[in-house]
Amino acid sequence: GPVAESLEWAATASRGEFVLVIGGAPPPPPAAEQEMAAALQHELAAGAPVKAAAATVARRYGVSRRDTYALALRVRPPGR
């Protein structure tokens, strides 16, 4: 229930220890492919190798390195 409800319960509960578990924030929505492609192009333009650019962007957006690497291969400049 709500935190206020838990505090009320704790004020009337018997003595001793208890654990209050509070859930974290929901995960962010997945990044749009266009946004990730732009981030990859930025990393590649700065001179990062494809593998490093993919790892950096995957970590930043919390997505699979494998999928990000595949996207990097599609958006990289010719000859890289």
Side-chain angles (χ1 to χ4, degrees):
V3 173
E5 195 176 293
S6 299
L7 291 173
E8 188 177 310
W9 175 85
T12 60
S14 60
R15 295 179 58 172
E17 294 181 15
F18 59 92
V19 175
L20 180 62
V21 178
I22 300 176
E33 188 171 301
Q34 289 177 323
E35 186 179 345
M36 289 179 33
L40 284 165
Q41 289 169 336
H42 176 75
E43 292 291 325
L44 294 168
V50 175
K51 184 177 179 180
T56 299
V57 172
R59 191 171 35 255
R60 183 180 309 151
Y61 289 99
V63 295
S64 157
R65 281 185 295 164
R66 180 179 176 195
D67 294 341
T68 308
Y69 184 80
L71 178 60
L73 291 178
R74 292 196 318 263
V75 301
R76 70 180 172 178
R80 286 225 34 203

